[in-house]
């Protein structure tokens, strides 16, 4: 091969190398963007899928509504008003006045009978409210609420997809809380207490509107799509993230970039949930639902979604920190030296006291990268298999992983073998 041919070959090889590097950068960038955009949707999809498919999870979601004081007070007020409105106190006092006039009672006595309307209605309202409040705040009410939701798990399907029917229902432009079971229970208690008019509470009044919107149909269509993707969308995000890390020219930097990006998107999702909460509370003015009740219902219903978002954010932060600690940064090197020095000192102290690990310790010392990788992979697998992990469970798994790594470092240093030292070789041509 002539010099010109070799020069042309080298030129083509370098051009191909540059082109290949650009392709890798482009592929990694596209994968990262897809990962970042789909990550929030994946979190919402997992929440929707768990609420629809897991009865226990759904019951855990809605059960606290029955014991929330602001909700109990609102339900008590609504039911009390509906019962009292069905009792015509004015007609009763008028009948008493007519009877007194017919019997020849003095005018002052007749007028006094007419004045009984207000006190009688107030006394009736107080008595009915006391009975209704006892029912709504009783353990039996909470049990009935939980049991009805468990038996009619289609409630969440009704809210998110507009199909089925149960305690929480979706109308054409609203989401309503169905109090049918509760009203029937209260009616029976009131009838037993002598308030026969309670049996006339109309069925049409057994709902409280929680949310109104003219975009409910569009929202339900989006939620149905997320429900279908609930299983595969998170898997797709994980695959895209893994491909982005694998295709990146520097795997550690790609991992750190992926973690930071996902963490930022989780913060964006939390901000979006906060904005949605305010929009919901602003819409409450059209439903006459007290602000504190509306806020409590919203926070209870979405608490698992917020918890999952925070959990993913914590995992992203931990992953980014781990990727940084494996890098060449000054701070990362100092932390690694400090950790190695601490475990090494502890292991050598054990060896001096006769607690040598021998061949097992030397094996651990020779395969530190493998053992470290296995322990970290085990922690990641534990989180993947954990049913609905929380920030607390992430902290627990992280603590266990760090503890195991520390113990392995101590056992490796306790082998009784002198620590390995790096030898510096002189540059070629400089001599020994």
């Amino acid at each position: 091969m002539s010099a010109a041919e070799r020069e042309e070959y080298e030129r083509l090889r370098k051009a191909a190398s540059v082109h290949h590097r650009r392709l890798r950068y482009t592929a990694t960038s596209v994968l990262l963007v897809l990962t970042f955009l789909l990550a929030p949707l994946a979190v919402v999809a997992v929440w929707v899928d768990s609420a629809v498919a897991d009865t226990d999870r759904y019951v855990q979601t809605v059960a606290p509504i029955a014991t929330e004081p602001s909700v109990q007070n609102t339900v008590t007020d609504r039911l009390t008003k509906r019962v009292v409105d069905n009792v015509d106190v004015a007609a009763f006092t008028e009948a008493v006045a007519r009877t007194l006039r017919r019997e020849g009672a003095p005018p002052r006595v007749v007028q006094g009978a007419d004045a009984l309307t207000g006190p009688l209605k107030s006394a009736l309202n107080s008595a009915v409210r006391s009975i209704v409040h006892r029912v709504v705040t009783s353990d039996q009410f909470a049990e009935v609420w939980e049991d009805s939701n468990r038996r009619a798990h289609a409630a969440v399907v009704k809210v998110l997809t507009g199909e089925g029917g149960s305690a929480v229902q979706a109308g054409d432009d609203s989401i309503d809380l169905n109090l049918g079971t509760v009203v029937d229970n209260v009616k029976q208690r009131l009838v037993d207490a002598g308030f026969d008019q309670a049996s006339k509470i109309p069925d049409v009044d057994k709902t409280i509107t929680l949310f109104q919107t003219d975009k409910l149909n569009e929202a339900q269509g989006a939620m149905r799509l997320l429900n279908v993707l609930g299983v595969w969308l998170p898997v797709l995000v994980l695959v895209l993230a893994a491909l982005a890390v694998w295709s990146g020219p520097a795997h550690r930097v790609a991992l750190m970039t992926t973690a930071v990006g996902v963490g930022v998107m989780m913060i964006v999702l939390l901000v979006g949930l906060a904005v949605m909460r305010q929009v919901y509370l602003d819409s409450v003015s059209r439903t006459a639902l007290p602000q504190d009740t509306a806020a409590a219902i919203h926070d209870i219903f979405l608490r698992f979604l917020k918890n999952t978002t925070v959990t993913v954010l914590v995992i992203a932060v931990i992953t980014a920190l781990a990727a940084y600690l494996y890098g060449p940064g000054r701070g990362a090197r100092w932390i690694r030296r400090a950790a190695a020095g601490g475990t090494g000192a502890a292991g050598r102290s054990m060896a001096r006291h006769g607690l040598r690990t021998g061949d097992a310790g030397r094996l651990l010392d020779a395969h530190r990268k493998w053992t470290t990788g296995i322990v970290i992979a085990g922690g990641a697998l534990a989180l993947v298999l954990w049913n609905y992990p929380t920030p607390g469970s992430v902290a627990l798994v992280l603590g266990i992983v760090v503890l195991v790594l520390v113990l392995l470092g101590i056992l490796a240093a306790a082998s009784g073998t002198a620590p390995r030292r790096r030898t510096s070789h002189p540059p070629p041509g400089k001599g020994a």
Side-chain angles (χ1 to χ4, degrees):
M1 181 181 294
S2 64
E5 291 176 337
R6 284 197 300 270
E7 183 178 348
E8 180 65 15
Y9 171 77
E10 286 297 324
R11 187 184 67 79
L12 292 174
R13 187 181 64 81
K14 290 180 180 179
S17 177
V18 171
H19 180 68
H20 177 68
R21 190 180 302 112
R22 287 177 178 174
L23 286 178
R24 291 188 65 180
Y25 274 116
T26 302
T28 302
S29 300
V30 171
L31 291 170
L32 286 175
V33 170
L34 290 176
T35 301
F36 299 158
L37 293 178
L38 293 178
L41 293 178
V43 172
V44 177
V46 168
W47 173 71
V48 173
D49 183 67
S50 65
V52 172
D54 192 333
T55 299
D56 292 334
R57 187 67 166 180
Y58 172 69
V59 172
Q60 290 175 6
T61 299
V62 299
I65 293 177
T67 56
E68 173 61 36
S70 60
V71 176
Q72 291 176 338
N73 291 333
T74 299
V75 172
T76 299
D77 292 340
R78 296 290 178 88
L79 295 182
T80 299
K81 185 177 185 302
R82 291 169 188 174
V83 172
V84 173
D85 287 348
N86 281 277
V87 179
D88 195 345
V89 178
F92 172 75
T93 55
E94 289 176 3
V96 172
R98 287 196 301 271
T99 301
L100 291 174
R101 279 195 296 268
R102 189 170 56 249
E103 296 297 328
R108 180 174 297 179
V109 175
V110 175
Q111 293 175 359
D114 291 333
L116 289 175
T117 301
L120 281 177
K121 191 163 187 176
S122 177
L124 177 63
N125 186 82
S126 177
V128 171
R129 195 182 195 287
S130 177
I131 294 175
V132 172
H133 189 68
R134 284 201 301 269
V135 173
V136 172
T137 57
S138 66
D139 293 338
Q140 182 182 5
F141 170 67
E143 293 172 359
V144 169
W145 172 266
E146 181 175 335
D147 183 62
S148 64
N149 278 281
R150 184 176 295 279
R151 287 185 291 104
H153 176 234
V156 75
V157 179
K158 182 70 176 179
V159 175
L160 299 177
T161 66
E163 301 171 357
S166 57
V168 181
Q169 300 176 347
D172 293 335
D173 61 352
S174 65
I175 294 176
D176 307 313
L177 179 64
N178 189 339
L179 298 172
T181 303
V182 179
V183 172
D184 293 339
N185 188 289
V186 170
K187 283 168 55 176
Q188 187 58 47
R189 292 284 191 93
L190 292 173
V191 170
D192 293 342
F195 295 97
D196 295 335
Q197 293 294 328
S199 62
K200 298 180 181 179
I201 299 177
D203 291 344
V204 295
D205 289 333
K206 291 183 179 180
T207 61
I208 294 178
T209 299
L210 304 179
F211 183 76
Q212 282 187 327
T213 174
D214 56 358
K215 300 295 184 182
L216 183 59
N217 290 333
E218 290 85 344
Q220 288 173 340
M223 292 306 251
R224 280 193 290 269
L225 177 61
L226 284 175
N227 184 27
V228 173
L229 298 176
V231 175
W232 296 109
L233 191 55
V235 175
L236 176 62
V237 171
L238 290 176
V239 171
L240 290 174
L243 289 175
V245 174
W246 174 78
S247 65
H251 299 322
R252 185 189 63 83
V253 174
L255 176 61
M256 190 160 52
T257 303
T258 303
V260 171
V262 171
V264 170
M265 295 307 295
M266 292 304 102
I267 295 175
V268 171
L269 178 56
L270 290 174
V271 173
L273 291 176
V275 173
M276 186 181 71
R277 183 181 190 271
Q278 189 57 50
V279 171
Y280 165 69
L281 293 180
D282 291 342
S283 72
V284 166
S285 58
R286 291 182 286 170
T287 67
L289 192 66
Q291 286 275 326
D292 58 340
T293 303
I297 292 173
H298 175 277
D299 293 342
I300 289 172
F301 198 76
L302 294 184
R303 72 188 189 282
F304 286 140
L305 175 57
K306 292 181 181 178
N307 186 71
T308 301
T309 305
V310 174
T311 300
V312 176
L313 175 59
V314 171
I315 293 175
V317 171
I318 293 173
T319 303
L321 287 176
Y324 167 76
L325 291 177
Y326 273 89
R330 180 179 300 179
R333 293 199 306 271
W334 183 88
I335 292 175
R336 290 200 301 269
R337 284 197 301 268
T343 55
R348 289 190 294 273
S349 177
M350 287 179 55
R352 285 195 299 270
H353 288 81
L355 299 175
R356 292 183 174 85
T357 54
D359 292 339
R362 285 187 286 274
L363 184 65
L364 290 174
D365 185 53
H367 299 87
R368 283 181 182 270
K369 291 184 178 180
W370 278 99
T371 55
T372 301
I374 291 173
V375 172
I376 294 176
L381 181 62
L383 288 177
V384 171
L385 298 179
W386 197 299
N387 196 19
Y388 308 121
T390 64
S393 61
V394 173
L396 175 62
V397 171
L398 176 63
I400 293 175
V401 168
V402 172
L403 178 61
V404 171
L405 291 177
V406 169
L407 291 177
L408 290 177
I410 293 174
L411 293 176
S415 62
T417 304
R420 293 177 295 175
R421 294 180 180 178
R422 289 185 176 181
T423 57
S424 58
H425 300 283
K430 295 292 184 180

